[in-house]
Amino acid sequence: MVFSFGTLLDEKVQQSLFGTRLNTVKDSLIGHGTTEVVITDLDVIAKSGKNVHLGLVRREGNSVSGGLLALTPDQLATADAYEVGAYARRRVPTGAHGQAWCYVSAEPLAVAERIALIGDSIAYGRCTPEGGWAARVASRHIARDEENNRFFNLAWPGATMLEVLDAAEAEVSARRADTILVAAGINDLLHVEGRSGAKVSQDVIARLESFCDAMESQGRRVVVMSPNWVDTTVIPGLHLDEILDLRESMRSWCQRTFRDFLDTWNVLADRPALFSDGIHPSTEGHRLLAEAVGSI
């Protein structure tokens, strides 16, 4: 099922895309509002007759009315092709009929209201008195709407991905976060204790999947960040190929399951001067990470 609040409900668009009119079941999304999205794709404009479509933003206490469409796999692929790059297909819980697909903004932080960051010491901002990249992102996010926007840094120095995910569910719920940044993984490799890097990646992905399932059922959107490059020449016990394998496992899993993935690897890759100790970025390293994170 796909929840639509815009042009996919239009009979002319349905005829153009699917060759038939679809039955629509009325429903709504809680905790969202709408915004305008300018469309430049001429084929999409021709099908919809509009160069401005609706998009979703997070707004606590608001709701968006729309309808549910039962699409076949082929029709879903057609809908994916119709929706321009400004949209991404993600899971949402509808007000009356449970979970459905929905085309939401491809820039999750830009439309978020209450963001929670869970991660390790890098996300926490260790070695930087300014609070690291997270403090910069938080400042920009709150400045956009000081009355409603919030950013909660729940990072836990020294924690593994498994530990932060286990602790996070109650924390993000208490803060009513609508969007969750997950930034961890290096400590899982540092504390392998005889396990292979492949087994670590497998365990991380399994826990990520259960975490995302739980958060999405509550209407929260999860953004998974890649591990950062680490200077393994000065960090005993870390191997570059294992970090790259974890990064690729996260990326491919997010792509396969339609989750958001933010790859920050190239921001610091092969630039040891941007680190204070080989693993924690310097002030300049955090500044560059903040620019990368703030771009989504």
Side-chain angles (χ1 to χ4, degrees):
M1 300 291 283
V2 171
F3 176 86
S4 177
F5 53 96
T7 59
L8 282 180
L9 298 176
D10 189 300
E11 182 179 348
K12 292 181 180 178
V13 173
Q14 292 176 3
Q15 289 285 357
S16 176
L17 290 176
F18 313 122
T20 186
R21 179 180 179 180
L22 302 176
N23 292 327
T24 303
V25 179
K26 290 184 179 180
D27 212 324
S28 64
L29 285 185
I30 308 301
H32 289 79
T34 59
T35 187
E36 293 185 341
V37 177
V38 177
I39 305 299
T40 58
D41 188 304
L42 296 180
D43 186 52
V44 173
I45 294 173
K47 287 183 171 67
S48 68
K50 301 175 181 179
N51 65 353
V52 177
H53 290 193
L54 290 179
L56 290 173
V57 292
R58 299 307 297 244
R59 287 185 187 145
E60 193 173 32
N62 286 18
S63 64
V64 174
S65 297
L68 287 171
L69 305 171
L71 301 185
T72 67
D74 286 345
Q75 289 172 332
L76 187 58
T78 298
D80 286 348
Y82 166 75
E83 298 293 348
V84 296
Y87 296 93
R89 173 156 58 95
R90 298 293 182 260
R91 298 163 184 80
V92 298
T94 65
H97 295 89
Q99 204 166 65
W101 292 113
C102 184
Y103 293 99
V104 299
S105 174
E107 299 180 344
L109 298 191
V111 296
E113 190 172 66
R114 302 176 68 88
I115 300 171
L117 167 64
I118 59 175
D120 52 25
S121 57
I122 300 172
Y124 182 81
R126 183 182 168 190
C127 301
T128 52
E130 303 88 354
W133 66 260
R136 294 172 180 267
V137 172
S139 178
R140 289 200 294 263
H141 177 67
I142 294 170
R144 286 201 293 262
D145 185 349
E146 290 190 359
E147 183 176 354
N148 296 300
N149 283 7
R150 299 291 182 269
F151 189 102
F152 307 101
N153 190 337
L154 308 177
W156 176 5
T160 66
M161 176 77 84
L162 304 184
E163 288 171 330
V164 298
L165 293 180
D166 285 345
E169 294 188 19
E171 294 285 348
V172 299
S173 178
R175 289 162 177 79
R176 308 191 309 279
D178 56 66
T179 304
I180 307 161
L181 271 171
V182 179
I186 292 296
N187 286 324
D188 297 77
L189 293 171
L190 275 171
H191 306 305
V192 294
E193 297 180 358
R195 293 182 300 161
S196 68
K199 181 63 167 63
V200 170
S201 295
Q202 182 181 353
D203 291 345
V204 166
I205 295 303
R207 186 63 187 92
L208 268 174
E209 182 140 30
S210 63
F211 177 77
C212 287
D213 286 344
M215 294 298 97
E216 289 161 356
S217 70
Q218 299 169 19
R220 312 184 201 281
R221 186 171 178 181
V222 180
V223 180
V224 178
M225 293 180 61
S226 73
N228 294 316
W229 182 86
V230 172
D231 186 359
T232 54
T233 65
V234 297
I235 305 297
L238 268 181
H239 303 283
L240 190 61
D241 59 342
E242 291 185 333
I243 305 173
L244 285 169
D245 285 346
L246 178 60
R247 172 195 179 210
E248 176 56 24
S249 293
M250 289 178 169
R251 186 205 63 77
S252 60
W253 174 78
C254 285
Q255 183 180 47
R256 186 173 66 253
T257 63
F258 293 88
R259 265 91 182 207
D260 295 288
F261 181 67
L262 173 57
D263 192 356
T264 59
W265 181 267
N266 290 329
V267 176
L268 305 178
D270 299 312
R271 303 175 72 181
L274 293 175
F275 291 81
S276 60
D277 57 5
I279 193 169
H280 295 98
S282 64
T283 296
E284 176 62 10
H286 275 287
R287 185 189 69 79
L288 294 173
L289 285 172
E291 289 182 0
V293 176
S295 69
I296 70 168

